[in-house]
Amino acid sequence: MKEKRQANFELLRIVAMLMVIALHYLNKGDLLAAGTADRTAVSYATHLMEAVCIVAVNCYVLLSGYFLVESVWKPGRIVSLAAQILFYSILVPVVLLCLGVIPAGELSVYDWLNYVLPVETEHYWFATAYLLLYVFAPFLAAGVCNMEKRTLQIILAVLGCYFTVWKSIVPATLATDRYGYDYGWFLFLFLTAAYLRKYGLPALERKRNALLLYVGAFLGIFLLTAVTDLLAEKAAFLVYYKDMPTTYNHILCLAGAVGLFMVFKDMTIPEGGGAALIRRLAPYTFGVYLLHEHALVRYRWMQWLKIDVVKGSWWFVPHMIGCVLLVYGVGTGVDFVRERLFDLIGGFYRGGSSKRAEGNLGSAEDKVWK
């Protein structure tokens, strides 16, 4: 029988994507930039919200690594993932041109190159890093499964220093620091998730400890950002460092992600309608990302939803909640249609059978998690 997906992990996947949309709302909606200068209660609230959500990407990758380390690797999944990325990359500009949102002739040859080759041009940085992570997954999984625990601990320690420890301490630009926006950081997260899968972390097996780690991490990120911002007025060299706590490979962001992951790891969700709904919605999260983060949409949806109206006021809280849910809902609906379309194409390709099967063009990410 087909094994059911674990609803607790599926819920974390949904929560992580909601956090990602919230981060884009705050950042690309310019609420964070406006808040840095005036230091009002509202501005501090926006930065606290950013600190709460900044662990989302790390959690998302930890989830993938946790399952990929013990799953069967199949090249067809790379094709499915690439097809899903290409679907959104090309379809969005075509639809916007047809609707007149973008004037004909506005898009250059270089723009279309970005849409036709989204992985190579990093149209979606996350999708590029995620696809490369999947390519490397069998090598990493084989290595983890064939090395001693002590060896894996040493490797994690060395890579941890390289990717996160030094950049979190040194108040200067490091040439190798890409702030976690690359597949190198994703590979480290994969190994971290693999360690959690094989050996766990006894201190965090108690949900209370894991929750305290997450809360302590996001409060630490918020306080460190606020204090550094104040000190930067008198010590110019700290201007660079004030944004570091909210980068994905900062030590506090990593710690918070591990804490939140462990909170959900042992969460029990009773079987029933709620668990079924979670399992139904979770596979479409990657599509939600690909739709709202397309280059032609990522700043426009801020304008369409009138974020400027709530800048500097507490109305940003209910407005943000409504916008995040709306974007998630629309993205889920669109990806549901895409999945059905891919199923039809896959069924036609197999001789008219629309039954979903391993290796078809259905939800690419859904396959990655099996």
Side-chain angles (χ1 to χ4, degrees), residues 73-359:
W73 189 88
K74 294 185 177 181
R77 295 177 180 176
I78 298 178
V79 176
S80 297
L81 190 59
Q84 187 177 6
I85 296 169
L86 196 61
F87 173 86
Y88 283 97
S89 182
I90 295 178
L91 182 66
V92 169
V94 171
V95 170
L96 293 181
L97 283 169
C98 292
L99 294 176
V101 176
I102 299 175
E106 180 177 308
L107 300 179
S108 66
V109 174
Y110 179 76
D111 291 325
W112 282 107
L113 182 64
N114 276 294
Y115 307 147
V116 175
L117 299 173
V119 175
E120 293 81 357
T121 60
E122 283 196 323
H123 183 119
Y124 303 99
W125 76 265
F126 178 87
T128 298
Y130 193 79
L131 184 62
L132 290 173
L133 170 67
Y134 188 75
V135 173
F136 280 100
F139 299 99
L140 297 173
V144 169
C145 293
N146 289 281
M147 70 174 64
E148 297 180 350
K149 179 180 179 181
R150 179 62 176 169
T151 304
L152 181 57
Q153 288 175 332
I154 294 173
I155 291 174
L156 284 173
V158 172
L159 292 178
C161 288
Y162 175 79
F163 281 112
T164 186
V165 175
W166 303 134
K167 72 82 50 82
S168 301
I169 298 174
V170 179
T173 304
L174 300 179
T176 57
D177 183 18
R178 293 201 62 190
Y179 314 134
Y181 291 91
D182 64 337
Y183 72 92
W185 174 244
F186 281 21
L187 298 184
F188 172 74
L189 290 175
F190 181 103
L191 293 176
T192 301
Y195 185 89
L196 293 175
R197 182 72 182 252
K198 289 199 68 175
Y199 307 110
L201 286 175
L204 297 180
E205 292 300 329
R206 293 184 59 188
K207 195 179 300 182
R208 177 177 174 273
N209 292 345
L211 182 60
L212 286 175
L213 177 61
Y214 167 60
V215 173
F218 79 66
L219 288 178
I221 291 171
F222 170 71
L223 293 173
L224 186 57
T225 301
V227 171
T228 309
D229 186 35
L230 292 172
L231 295 177
E233 294 181 349
K234 297 182 179 180
F237 71 94
L238 289 175
V239 172
Y240 161 81
Y241 189 73
K242 69 179 183 179
D243 294 325
M244 286 304 98
T246 53
T247 53
Y248 299 135
N249 61 343
H250 192 276
I251 187 66
L252 289 177
C253 188
L254 173 63
V258 171
L260 188 59
F261 178 86
M262 295 299 288
V263 168
F264 278 84
K265 175 179 175 291
D266 296 317
M267 180 183 293
T268 301
I269 298 178
E271 288 299 327
L277 180 61
I278 290 170
R279 292 190 183 98
R280 190 76 183 94
L281 293 176
Y284 303 117
T285 53
F286 191 53
V288 173
Y289 165 78
L290 293 173
L291 178 63
H292 89 278
E293 261 299 282
H294 192 283
L296 295 175
V297 177
R298 63 178 58 145
Y299 289 101
R300 280 186 168 87
W301 72 266
M302 312 292 169
Q303 302 168 6
W304 296 337
L305 298 178
K306 309 294 183 184
I307 291 179
D308 282 341
V309 176
V310 298
K311 278 186 181 179
S313 77
W314 286 106
W315 284 108
F316 93 88
V317 178
H319 188 268
M320 181 180 70
I321 294 173
C323 288
V324 169
L325 293 177
L326 178 61
V327 170
Y328 185 88
V330 171
T332 298
V334 172
D335 204 55
F336 174 82
V337 174
R338 176 208 60 81
E339 182 186 53
R340 292 298 170 269
L341 177 62
F342 277 25
D343 281 346
L344 289 174
I345 296 173
F348 178 78
Y349 179 77
R350 293 190 304 274
S353 173
S354 61
K355 182 179 179 181
R356 296 182 65 183
E358 185 70 17

Side-chain angles (χ1 to χ4, degrees), residues 34-110:
T36 305
D38 54 33
R39 298 196 182 100
T40 63
V42 174
S43 70
Y44 280 121
T46 62
H47 284 274
L48 177 60
M49 189 61 65
E50 179 191 30
V52 169
C53 297
I54 198 64
V55 301
V57 170
N58 287 348
C59 283
Y60 207 91
V61 181
L62 285 173
L63 282 166
S64 295
Y66 189 82
F67 288 98
L68 284 173
V69 72
E70 293 190 1
S71 66
V72 177
W73 189 88
K74 294 185 177 181
R77 295 177 180 176
I78 298 178
V79 176
S80 297
L81 190 59
Q84 187 177 6
I85 296 169
L86 196 61
F87 173 86
Y88 283 97
S89 182
I90 295 178
L91 182 66
V92 169
V94 171
V95 170
L96 293 181
L97 283 169
C98 292
L99 294 176
V101 176
I102 299 175
E106 180 177 308
L107 300 179
S108 66
V109 174
Y110 179 76

